[in-house]
Amino acid sequence: MVDTQHDPRALWEAALDGARTRDGNFTTLSGTPLKPLYTPEDAEVDYAEDLGYPGQFPYTRGVHPTMYRGRLWTMRQFAGFGTAAQTNERFRYLLNHGQTGLSTAFDFPTLMGYDSDDELSVGEVGKVGVAISSLADMQTLFDQIPLDQVSTSMTINGPAPVMLAFYIACGERQGVPAEKLRGTVQNDILKEYQAQHAWLVPPEPALRMITDVMGHCAERAPHFNTISISGYHIREAGSTAAQELAFTLANGMDYVRRGIEAGMDVDTFAPRLSFFFDSHLDFFEEISKFRAARRIWARKMRDTFGAKNPKSWMLRFHTQTAGVSLTAQQPENNIVRTAIEALAAVLGGTQSLHTNSMDETLSLPTEKAVKIALRTQQIIAEEHEVAHVADPLAGSYFVEAETNRLEAEAEAYFEEIERRGGVVPCIEAGYIQKEIHRSAVQYQRAIESGSKKVVGVNTYTEGEGSPEIDLHKIDPGVEREQRERLATLRSERDGAAVTRELEAVREACGNGDNLLERFIAAAHADCTLGEICAVLREAFGKYKEPKIL
Amino acid sequence: MDRKIRVLIAKPGLDGHDRGAKTVATVLRDAGMEVIYSGLHQTPEMIAEAALQEDVDVVGLSILSGAHMSLFPRVRAALEERGMNDVLLTGGGIIPEDDMQALEGDGYSKLFGPGTPTDSIVGWIKNTMAERWEKEGASDA
Amino acid sequence: MGSEGTHTAAAGGPLRTPAELAEGVRGGNRRALSRLISWAENDQPGFAEALGAFYGDVGRAWRIGVTGPPGAGKSTLVNELALALRQDERDLDVGILAVDPSSPFTGGALLGDRIRMDELTADPKVYIRSMASRKSHGGMARAGVDACDVMDAFGIDRIMIETVGVGQAEYDVMAACDTVIVVMCPGAGDGIQAMKAGILEVADVLVVNKSDRPGADRLYDDLVEAVHVRDGRATADDGWTVPVVRAAAGRGEGADDVLTAVAAHRERLEQLGLANVRNQKRTAQVRRIVEEALERRVFAQADMNAAIAAQLAEGHTAYAVADSLLGEVTVSLSAQVTKLSPDAKP
């Protein structure tokens, strides 16, 4: 019998009952109701089973024993625009200012597998990223940047295997063998069908190309991450944190399954799978999400897939602060949002981090804006004393409760996806896309009704008028310059070699040979990205998305 | 007469980020409009052709690819080629203010930047169409 | 069929009056076609006059209904059928009417069928129109038939009408077609039970789509059996055994087989006397127009409900009130509808 006069909890609850509360929803960003207080009863954890030590199964507390004492996270700012030469300049600027890894943004034609001079590329060349149509362009991109001395991430999906081939061939031309290459190629096609929509061919042939990449790199480029299994795009498309977690890991498990079905030993390719998450506005939910991700993945890899190598159990991830949290109104506020989101990623144990620039709702970032974004990470690392202790929020009743909750919600989704036949059938039926769309619409309604506040947009607004900041402008001559480069390339290269290599690609599509190897040979023969992708589209067909609305 | 406002929502060009387009389509449906969603990777000609076949009152484009200065005018031109000078052309995405103003040159194109409440879009379409239908009714009388 | 690839608003210039629209349709002006379909949807008074002006040209098109449960792959199949029809050496013109439900709460609709038909948008001999069900029941079926009539007069050879077959209105639209294809796919476990009542009754061709999936053979067998144990019904199709066709539209397979079945059905109807079959079906259209017109006329005033409620409040029965409303009404569609006369061809 609880003595309500003296039991502290009962007293506190009674006090709550009587008290005024301010207006507002007390939920996570994803809409999950939050308690006013979390106590030990809310955080059911067995330290050894559920938390453990950094660098040990289940890795909830981090994938490395020393975490940031051993080495800080990589500060890896996404960059790319215009021509390879222009991006090369920005790369070198960032490296000179203390960036520790490169991350390449490509333009839409490149992302969709079209050359800069394709008629579908008109108006889009160099606008949201760098235009790379050939090995020559790739060489220019890394001019004065030795590939054995940097780690490079390439954010591309549909044509990723071809771009990776260009990178490997570029290394070869620099005299750097593939074994020395470090970096990541995003190459996560499942989330493309679900969220970002930059696909090249339908799912089955796309997944075959991915297993070809996994197989080739396991032997020849063992330090290169072959997939960055991404939740960022799923989140940015409107999903909740639980959905981001669930769909990302479900995709990851699908890749693992396919690697095994392709005849590979899970431990040969799993260590090179990496992840990429969003760090959104809800500070505690995000930290909990990162911890849940590590724990779930470790358990699945060891217990479901039977991986033996601890490296196969470790979920290593890159984080980007949430683009959708930025506002066009009062853009300087975005610096604050990004800083807090970056902090969440650090407290969540990310291996590498990109911080958004304040002007990105309006255009690609200016040099000044991207420098502030970089400095944000540096200040967090150097000034706020948060990188000395691994997994500092462990043991918080709130954070452990949230970690458990997110894990449980993810498991529910895994079951549902299984019930519906797996990831690809869910994509074809539009299930995942519809879940994401529904969350997106809910969020929009919450903002419009005012129940979700956004400073500068529906609260603390400052009226109409364009923000007074300088914006990055793309040089209009880029498209013309690329056309000229391509014209020169096409006229100077060995046409017979091009035809021969493209034919070899076509054959490999049909006979199951490793496509990445064929792409590397084609790259050396100066076949363009568009030419190779055209062969793939012809051989494998074009993908058409299902009806979602 | 059970007249509905018919809207075509399309994404021209290569960009596949359709959260905004789908959200706006849903909101317009919730506001009682008939929304034809033609999806991704549309060329200006495909958009204009669909607009003609569907006899839409409004075409809404979502462009986050930075290619708006090329794509908007091309869609406008393709519509005019087909005699569809009256169609309201609107849209949004990642478009800086001065580009928006440049594109809004003529009276019937209006663009909505990031953070605009979808109510504004609904309101603009409904008011413009109401005025237009009133004029039509008056001239038929 | 009018001039190919005509993008100008020629063939008559402005498209404001029924006469101009009718002339535009006869002249192959796609904007006129489009605009007139809108008139039908909006129940615009001038539509009937325009229809009368070109009704002599109506009758050449074969109207193919395509329905089935959600997720069966109808849009994909329609897309494949259209592509196959375009390959026909007769260079056929194809029309597609994609019908989707309106929200009962907001009256709006999301019409997303075009997304599966991208390559057809570029083909000048394909016309695709999305239609929302709007107020349910008669209205949508009437507008659907009207839209087909306009496409028919325009010169389209094959019209496919796609609906999600769940409601009375959708059933009515299908019943107005010459050949109805019902598309099913494995995995919709209880789909067959749900579909048996009603939709299977209206099927002239059954398609097992996604036939590469597990469960396809079972579904095929179930449908073949369902076709044979169906109670005989006395319809114009007497003697037609509904074929069950396998397809995998997502892989581009089966379209030709489906079209073969459709062609066979057409032959059967022509043997039985096509004109008669069609006139039987068209009586439903007359009924719908009468009902809509009556409803419009009787309940014309904005505050009708209040007026009726007031009468009821005086103690009159609903029958008495209805009787008095009907008594006050003279109904006619519009002065310009071609009146029936002994010599006039309807």
Side-chain angles (χ1 to χ4, degrees):
Chain A
M1 239 309 270
V2 170
D3 173 2
T4 52
Q5 297 289 73
H6 296 101
D7 175 69
R9 181 165 192 122
L11 283 172
W12 174 70
E13 280 171 0
L16 275 192
D17 254 349
R20 262 182 48 195
T21 51
R22 60 183 165 86
D23 278 334
N25 290 321
F26 302 113
T27 69
T28 66
L29 186 72
S30 305
T32 308
L34 289 171
K35 298 182 178 193
L37 186 75
Y38 287 73
T39 56
E41 297 80 53
D42 297 308
E44 306 245 352
V45 273
D46 175 320
Y47 189 86
E49 274 284 307
D50 300 325
L51 299 186
Y53 287 82
Q56 285 181 31
F57 187 91
Y59 302 98
T60 316
R61 306 202 67 184
V63 291
H64 300 302
T66 53
M67 282 311 290
Y68 300 136
R69 281 210 188 189
R71 201 179 71 189
L72 288 173
W73 64 92
T74 306
M75 301 185 191
R76 194 189 290 276
Q77 295 295 87
F78 195 38
F81 53 86
T83 60
Q86 290 164 341
T87 301
N88 173 262
E89 231 183 275
R90 175 65 69 92
F91 274 178
R92 288 185 288 117
Y93 173 84
L94 288 166
L95 289 170
N96 289 338
H97 277 83
Q99 174 158 312
T100 44
L102 294 176
S103 176
T104 320
F106 298 98
D107 69 2
F108 269 115
T110 307
L111 292 171
M112 299 298 291
Y114 295 106
D115 289 334
S116 302
D117 60 356
D118 194 297
E119 67 175 346
L120 290 175
S121 306
V122 172
E124 309 223 39
V125 178
K127 290 273 164 47
V128 303
V130 65
I132 301 288
S133 301
S134 66
L135 174 53
D137 287 341
M138 184 64 86
Q139 288 182 273
T140 305
L141 184 62
F142 291 101
D143 179 42
Q144 298 170 59
I145 301 175
L147 293 191
D148 55 351
Q149 296 186 14
V150 283
S151 151
T152 305
S153 171
M154 290 185 285
T155 301
I156 185 162
N157 294 279
V162 182
M163 198 56 61
L164 177 58
F166 281 6
Y167 189 76
I168 292 173
C170 178
E172 286 170 1
R173 287 205 181 165
Q174 277 187 3
V176 175
E179 298 85 68
K180 295 234 169 94
L181 296 176
R182 286 176 301 120
T184 306
V185 61
Q186 195 167 86
N187 198 27
D188 170 13
I189 203 66
L190 288 174
K191 67 97 168 50
E192 294 303 324
Y193 302 114
Q194 294 160 0
Q196 185 166 240
H197 306 319
W199 52 65
L200 189 69
V201 293
E204 292 302 329
L207 289 160
R208 170 268 177 100
M209 282 203 283
I210 288 177
T211 53
D212 281 358
V213 167
M214 283 171 17
H216 179 95
C217 290
E219 282 177 51
R220 310 282 191 75
H223 299 293
F224 211 86
N225 296 315
T226 53
I227 318 184
S228 178
I229 304 161
S230 306
Y232 181 81
H233 317 76
I234 292 171
R235 192 65 186 276
E236 295 286 298
S239 84
T240 61
Q243 288 167 342
E244 178 193 350
L245 181 63
F247 298 153
T248 308
L249 296 183
N251 290 345
M253 290 193 277
D254 207 65
Y255 291 126
V256 171
R257 199 167 293 132
R258 286 169 191 275
I260 294 171
E261 280 166 14
M264 290 183 264
D265 178 332
V266 65
D267 288 313
T268 57
F269 65 85
R272 278 297 145 207
L273 301 176
S274 63
F275 289 80
F276 172 28
F277 289 111
D278 200 316
S279 187
H280 212 309
L281 292 163
D282 188 327
F283 187 72
F284 292 111
E285 191 176 48
E286 296 302 279
I287 294 169
S288 307
K289 178 187 80 186
F290 300 132
R291 303 172 85 244
R294 280 193 294 266
R295 183 162 75 204
I296 297 172
W297 188 249
R299 288 174 169 169
K300 297 292 183 199
M301 288 309 290
R302 191 190 70 174
D303 304 334
T304 306
F305 292 105
K308 305 268 186 298
N309 183 345
K311 289 199 160 69
S312 300
W313 307 335
M314 289 182 216
L315 183 146
R316 297 168 300 115
F317 66 102
H318 170 75
T319 307
Q320 177 165 341
T321 58
V324 292
S325 69
L326 306 181
T327 59
Q329 294 76 4
Q330 303 171 39
E332 291 90 345
N333 296 342
N334 294 325
I335 298 172
V336 178
R337 296 182 176 107
T338 300
I340 297 174
E341 289 161 2
L343 183 61
V346 167
L347 297 180
T350 191
Q351 276 58 61
S352 92
L353 179 61
H354 163 99
T355 32
N356 290 331
S357 301
M358 63 168 169
D359 50 359
E360 293 196 67
T361 52
L362 302 166
S363 184
L364 291 190
T366 56
E367 228 169 56
K368 173 176 168 195
V370 84
K371 187 165 60 136
I372 294 176
L374 184 56
R375 294 281 180 254
T376 302
Q377 295 197 44
Q378 291 160 342
I379 291 168
I380 290 174
E382 306 294 346
E383 298 186 27
H384 289 282
E385 319 297 1
V386 291
H388 308 316
V389 175
D391 192 29
L393 294 186
S396 150
Y397 308 122
F398 178 34
V399 169
E400 296 302 350
E402 283 287 275
T403 306
N404 289 351
R405 169 183 73 79
L406 286 163
E407 182 174 12
E409 284 190 38
E411 287 291 344
Y413 268 116
F414 297 152
E415 260 181 60
E416 183 61 21
I417 291 171
E418 267 313 299
R419 201 185 66 76
R420 287 169 183 256
V423 171
V424 172
C426 281
I427 289 171
E428 289 171 347
Y431 167 66
I432 291 172
Q433 299 90 308
K434 284 181 187 153
E435 286 288 289
I436 296 170
H437 173 64
R438 196 166 4 176
S439 300
V441 170
Q442 257 176 316
Y443 190 73
Q444 185 66 26
R445 289 195 177 127
I447 292 179
E448 305 227 354
S449 70
S451 73
K452 168 77 191 141
K453 297 266 182 268
V454 182
V455 172
V457 171
N458 63 8
T459 185
Y460 303 110
T461 54
E462 278 171 14
E464 306 281 342
S466 45
E468 305 275 319
I469 55 172
D470 292 325
L471 293 178
H472 179 102
K473 292 272 182 223
I474 298 292
D475 167 8
V478 167
E479 195 164 318
R480 197 195 51 238
E481 201 185 309
Q482 274 301 96
R483 289 178 167 270
E484 282 164 17
R485 267 174 80 95
L486 277 165
T488 308
L489 181 79
R490 291 189 213 274
S491 66
E492 290 179 355
R493 63 188 180 171
D494 176 356
V498 167
T499 310
R500 196 182 56 232
E501 292 305 336
L502 290 177
E503 186 48 43
V505 168
R506 189 188 328 270
E507 263 186 58
C509 289
N511 69 17
D513 282 351
N514 191 298
L515 276 166
L516 181 56
E517 286 167 18
R518 296 267 56 81
F519 295 156
I520 296 170
H524 279 300
D526 293 321
C527 298
T528 66
L529 174 73
E531 285 161 355
I532 300 170
C533 290
V535 171
L536 297 173
R537 273 189 222 100
E538 219 185 317
F540 294 132
K542 289 177 84 169
Y543 178 72
K544 229 191 301 191
E545 57 169 334
K547 217 176 109 165
I548 304 301
L549 290 185
Chain B
M1 228 183 28
D2 180 19
R3 198 164 178 184
K4 302 282 181 195
I5 300 173
R6 283 171 68 89
V7 182
L8 174 68
I9 299 284
K11 282 197 65 71
L14 300 173
D15 167 34
H17 297 95
D18 58 3
R19 174 180 182 170
K22 285 187 171 144
T23 304
V24 169
T26 305
V27 166
L28 295 183
R29 185 275 309 268
D30 290 346
M33 304 184 202
E34 288 178 355
V35 184
I36 293 107
Y37 180 71
S38 63
L40 306 171
H41 312 140
Q42 304 287 294
T43 63
E45 288 67 41
M46 285 163 78
I47 292 171
E49 193 51 45
L52 181 146
Q53 292 178 15
E54 301 287 356
D55 195 23
V56 297
D57 301 299
V58 185
V59 171
L61 306 179
S62 163
I63 304 181
L64 289 80
S65 60
H68 47 274
M69 295 309 286
S70 159
L71 290 168
F72 266 100
R74 283 164 62 198
V75 170
R76 156 67 48 69
L79 287 168
E80 284 177 0
E81 242 179 79
R82 286 163 177 75
M84 303 188 70
N85 305 27
D86 293 349
V87 169
L88 297 185
L89 184 57
T90 183
I94 304 287
I95 306 173
E97 185 72 37
D98 43 1
D99 285 354
M100 270 203 265
Q101 282 168 13
L103 289 170
E104 283 177 2
D106 40 64
Y108 60 94
S109 283
K110 185 157 169 63
L111 301 180
F112 299 93
T116 310
T118 49
D119 279 359
S120 311
I121 308 173
V122 171
W124 178 73
I125 293 175
K126 282 192 164 169
N127 291 338
T128 315
M129 291 312 302
E131 269 176 38
R132 181 171 293 190
W133 286 347
E134 219 185 287
K135 247 193 257 169
E136 266 175 36
S139 65
D140 283 343
Chain C
M1 174 76 177
S3 22
E4 200 195 82
T6 307
H7 288 161
T8 62
L15 300 169
R16 307 286 317 276
T17 68
E20 282 164 356
L21 284 169
E23 196 189 318
V25 166
R26 300 181 93 161
N29 179 336
R30 283 184 143 200
R31 279 191 67 221
L33 164 62
S34 233
R35 183 54 55 86
L36 202 52
I37 292 179
S38 300
W39 277 30
E41 280 195 279
N42 296 328
D43 207 10
Q44 201 135 338
F47 178 80
E49 181 192 334
L51 182 68
F54 56 64
Y55 198 63
D57 296 334
V58 170
R60 256 183 349 119
W62 197 254
R63 304 178 191 198
I64 305 163
V66 180
T67 189
K74 293 181 296 298
S75 293
T76 312
L77 181 64
V78 166
N79 185 58
E80 290 300 311
L81 291 174
L83 290 170
L85 284 167
R86 289 292 299 126
Q87 302 286 344
D88 188 299
E89 64 205 354
R90 291 166 286 178
D91 198 24
L92 303 169
D93 285 277
V94 176
I96 297 169
L97 187 66
V99 184
D100 275 304
S102 296
S103 158
F105 307 112
T106 70
L110 274 169
L111 309 173
D113 293 292
R114 289 194 86 101
I115 221 178
R116 302 291 289 173
M117 305 180 197
D118 258 1
E119 61 253 86
L120 297 175
T121 307
D123 187 335
K125 295 187 120 222
V126 177
Y127 178 83
I128 302 170
R129 177 73 177 228
S130 311
M131 184 175 279
S133 61
R134 296 199 182 173
K135 292 180 311 216
S136 58
H137 307 302
M140 189 258 277
R142 178 208 37 83
V145 171
D146 287 340
C148 290
D149 287 345
V150 184
M151 285 196 263
D152 193 336
F154 184 77
I156 291 175
D157 299 299
R158 302 286 183 275
I159 303 171
M160 286 185 283
I161 303 102
E162 181 191 338
T163 70
V164 176
V166 286
Q168 182 63 43
E170 286 82 1
Y171 179 96
D172 286 347
V173 172
M174 288 298 109
C177 297
D178 297 316
T179 303
V180 177
I181 303 171
V182 175
V183 186
M184 308 202 57
C185 74
D190 40 16
I192 239 218
Q193 295 305 115
M195 299 303 281
K196 257 182 181 165
I199 278 300
L200 285 185
E201 293 298 307
V202 88
D204 298 307
V205 176
L206 283 165
V207 174
V208 173
N209 195 26
K210 308 192 185 181
S211 60
D212 49 331
R213 298 270 173 89
D217 288 334
R218 170 68 186 276
L219 177 61
Y220 180 87
D221 292 339
D222 282 350
L223 287 173
V224 167
E225 197 189 311
V227 158
H228 283 105
V229 304
R230 197 167 61 166
D231 297 336
R233 56 188 177 101
T235 67
D237 302 12
D238 220 44
W240 171 254
T241 309
V242 177
V244 184
V245 181
R246 287 188 167 93
R251 316 178 111 165
E253 291 162 13
D256 288 328
D257 293 335
V258 176
L259 289 176
T260 303
V262 171
H265 184 247
R266 177 172 188 162
E267 245 184 74
R268 179 75 193 133
L269 289 189
E270 282 167 350
Q271 278 166 12
L272 291 170
L274 186 57
N276 197 39
V277 172
R278 283 177 163 176
N279 285 334
Q280 297 264 6
K281 294 191 178 215
R282 202 164 276 266
T283 57
Q285 181 76 340
V286 174
R287 182 178 293 243
R288 285 187 283 265
I289 294 168
V290 166
E291 282 170 359
E292 261 183 287
L294 189 64
E295 157 126 6
R296 206 170 39 241
R297 201 69 189 81
V298 171
F299 296 99
Q301 291 154 250
D303 56 349
M304 223 40 233
N305 280 347
I308 291 171
Q311 295 221 326
L312 290 169
E314 288 173 25
H316 302 294
T317 65
Y319 287 93
V321 177
D323 195 49
S324 102
L325 286 175
L326 284 169
E328 290 164 21
V329 159
T330 42
V331 190
S332 81
L333 292 174
S334 90
Q336 288 138 329
V337 173
T338 315
K339 294 289 179 218
L340 285 184
S341 76
D343 334 309
K345 258 177 129 167

